[in-house]
Amino acid sequence: MTAPAVFSAPHLVIIAEHHPLRPVLRLRGELDVSNRGLLQNVISSVLELRPQTLVLDLSGLGFMDCS
């Protein structure tokens, strides 16, 4: 595994871990309309590598907007 990359926006931190078989994105904080673009960009970047599986760990979110 390489060192994790950290991406952040107000109220949200995304830690991207690149494991040999699947990438893992760990979300911390709050996910809402104001920071959804960050998540979209990180997911798009990871999917460019064409992984078979992408793991999203949402256990660190204290809030997630339903829209």
Side-chain angles (χ1 to χ4, degrees):
M1 178 178 83
T2 60
V6 178
F7 306 90
S8 64
H11 310 290
L12 178 66
V13 174
I14 302 172
I15 302 164
E17 299 174 357
H18 296 282
H19 297 273
L21 299 177
R22 80 266 185 273
V24 177
L25 299 179
R26 300 186 191 282
L27 281 64
R28 304 286 183 256
E30 299 180 357
L31 177 61
D32 59 28
V33 71
S34 72
N35 53 32
R36 72 175 183 201
L38 174 65
L39 180 59
Q40 289 173 327
N41 291 339
V42 172
I43 289 175
S44 293
S45 294
V46 170
L47 291 180
E48 286 179 4
L49 301 174
R50 306 188 61 80
Q52 288 186 321
T53 303
L54 170 59
V55 177
L56 294 177
D57 177 357
L58 306 178
S59 65
L61 290 179
F63 173 80
M64 188 164 87
D65 188 3
C66 63
S67 62

